[in-house]
Amino acid sequence: MNNVLPDNFDTDNTEFQDALKLIQHTNSSVFLTGRAGTGKSTFLRYICQHTHKKFVVVAPTGIAAINAGGVTIHSFFKVPFRPILPDDPDLSTQKGRIFDFLKYRKSHTQIIKELDLLIIDEVSMVRGDVLDFIDRVLRVFTKNMNQPFGGKQLLMVGDVFQLEPVVKRDDWQILRRFYPSPYFFSARVFKQIPLVQIELKKVYRQNDDTFVNLLDRIRLKQAGNIDIAAINERFNPGFQSPIDEFFITLATRRDTVDYINDSKLEQLEGHEHEFTGRISGEFPESGLPTLKELVLKENAQVMFVKNDMEKRWYNGSLGRVEEIDEHGIYVRLQNEEIHLVEKEVWRNIRYKYDEKNNRIIEEELGSFTQYPLKLAWAITVHKSQGLTFDKVMLDFSGGAFAGGQLYVALSRCVSLDGIVLKTKISPRDVIVNNEVVAFSKAANNKVLIEKELNKAEAQDLYKNAQLHFDAGNFNDAVHSFALANEKQEALSVESVQRMIAIKLSKITQLEHEVKELNAAIKRQQKNVQEFAREYYLMANECLLKFKDKPSALGNFNKALQLKPQFFDALVKRAGLHVEMGDLEGADKDYSQADKLKRKSYQVKYNRGRTRLELKRYEQAYNDLLQATQIKKDKAEAYFYLGVACEKMGDMQKAAEYKNIAEHLGFDE
């Protein structure tokens, strides 16, 4: 596996090592943060490559998920697209409601159970109620209700000084009853466990210290007039990017992005194709996922706005319109695959808080049907988080309106020289929320980090103690418990150790009981084998004395029900299947017998003969060839090996094997 670290990446810096130790050697939940370009994503990839733990990577958006090599939170957990309240009825275990609500596949449930580490990238965009939802799901599906996140470890990566969670006003009116802020760190689960926050300090994305320091002042809302003036030197309102070049524009406003995309579309040759979406009931224009009157041309750059059920693209995938005809829109994806895109349906719903039942109710107001595409020469700042560009146009027409927008936009670029401003910025564009500043002060708490590392070391000692218990080494077990509790809780008092030793002495009694149970099981198994042998002998008697094949088959079946690995019964029943014309049944029994005795001439030869009858000539050839290798003096094996060669068209080998059979005395 290739090294994921850049050549200049410093793995020995204190913050990197603290985070690495916590992830590798503890079960503590960690929030890894840092300024843009400090290696948060690199640390994530490093963990994915080097951790011994079973992990899953999720992110709040399709672009962030692809960038992190994972999946979206919503697709992995099936998070409902609504506010999620504490004690939400849909998440109740009574009458299996949560299982009916989520409808996880058995294979997906198994992934959750086996998971050791859940990595959430770009966590700054995740709401607190979503973290509590994840906590609930992990507790229920791991059957570990008493431990936060079901005992799983979380690594959350992101920067709360960057983009904030997107919360609709109506949704926040509901959530504010239960959460002090929409940020992930307001999740109620973090009242039960400490959230270890580590901030990476070293910046790698930008090499220019002047630009790095400027970005830091923007991030912390400490930028002065000189800083604003330095950024505005990149103002070039007349700049136009080449029509055939992927030059990305970041804008804070959706209308600005639409204007840029419309202008790029107009520059393309060819005629426009207009696709009219259909609105049923009430669906506000401002809530449309794409334009109602969607206008495209061939070679237009587009973005998908809905995940594909067949997973050919995701919400945020880029592509270029390859062809438009009577069948629809053909889009070439970035992987060069071309797909016919079909229309999708979106529902417009309204959330209402049911005071009486303490739950959210959903009311459908209307629906919208349209192709899941939109023009994409420009994207909003919100969509750009986590990405790095060499050349960026920033369009802050109308100014910033959310925390961290300006910082995110500027920090996407490698250098200040690579930035072109379409509009000047002002101090009003530097927005930082007070909750973020207060939360960030807890970063790199050495006392908490050391406490969590000690707790993990204590847990390892507890495991060692359990191994000593299993081996009957009670003194070593008590000693390990004492060392463990020195790390976590003071439990090294001699009287307490004696009490533990007395309690554990009962294990000897339990071991004796287990031995008696094992002996009883062995006796029972012996009786079962004897019954199986009786049925086997009865089957043989049915054949030899009474020529009663059906009764013989019934007794063989009973023998094998009691002892499925009864070799002789399998071989006998296989031969009986042949006599009764059930060649498939015979093949199955011979194959089961072959698993028990790989070098049985009888099995190889008879299965080869059976497969000749089934016209499975290559398989027959392989069986008969192995039979001749097991017993080189068996003429019949060589003869039928020659028959198999004849059936496969190899007359030369057929003659050779039949000559050997004749030499050994075979007579047809």
Side-chain angles (χ1 to χ4, degrees), residues 462-512:
Y462 281 130
K463 291 178 182 178
N464 288 336
Q466 291 173 2
L467 292 175
H468 288 309
F469 291 152
D470 294 340
N473 302 324
F474 298 128
N475 288 334
D476 291 338
V478 172
H479 180 65
S480 292
F481 265 116
L483 291 177
N485 284 279
E486 286 178 1
K487 291 288 183 181
Q488 190 174 5
E489 296 289 342
L491 194 60
S492 57
V493 180
E494 187 175 348
S495 59
V496 177
Q497 294 182 19
R498 283 199 302 272
M499 180 188 68
I500 294 174
I502 291 171
K503 295 288 184 182
L504 295 174
S505 65
K506 293 183 179 180
I507 292 179
T508 302
Q509 178 184 348
L510 293 174
E511 286 180 342
H512 178 69

Side-chain angles (χ1 to χ4, degrees), residues 368-379:
F368 175 62
T369 304
Q370 179 59 289
Y371 286 101
L373 299 170
K374 65 180 179 181
L375 298 174
W377 281 282
I379 59 174

